């Protein structure tokens, strides 16, 4: 699974994926969407509540 940042709104497995949000999807689909500029790979961030 790969996290992607959506650039457009699309439907995926019956769910609505909105532009500007990050979703975790299958790696094969993610590569296809990134190549088509539908999405880009999301930045991995280590989030902590103490900062």
């Amino acid at each position: 699974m790969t996290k992607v940042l959506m650039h457009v709104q699309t439907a995926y497995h019956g769910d609505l994926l909105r532009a500007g949000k990050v979703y975790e999807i299958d790696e094969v689909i993610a590569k296809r969407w990134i190549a088509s500029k539908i999405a880009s790979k999301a930045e991995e961030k280590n989030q902590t509540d103490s900062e």
Side-chain angles (χ1 to χ4, degrees):
M1 299 296 271
T2 303
K3 288 186 180 183
V4 294
L5 172 64
M6 297 302 298
H7 297 296
V8 298
Q9 179 174 297
T10 190
Y12 176 66
H13 288 293
D15 295 324
L16 185 62
L17 306 185
R18 303 224 179 233
K21 295 197 174 195
V22 175
Y23 297 95
E24 191 169 351
I25 63 166
D26 185 62
E27 189 172 343
V28 173
I29 302 297
K31 286 180 181 180
R32 190 177 338 157
W33 287 1
I34 292 165
S36 300
K37 302 200 189 300
I38 293 172
S40 59
K41 189 167 183 177
E43 298 282 327
E44 294 285 332
K45 292 183 181 177
N46 292 331
Q47 296 177 352
T48 59
D49 295 331
S50 62
E51 292 185 282

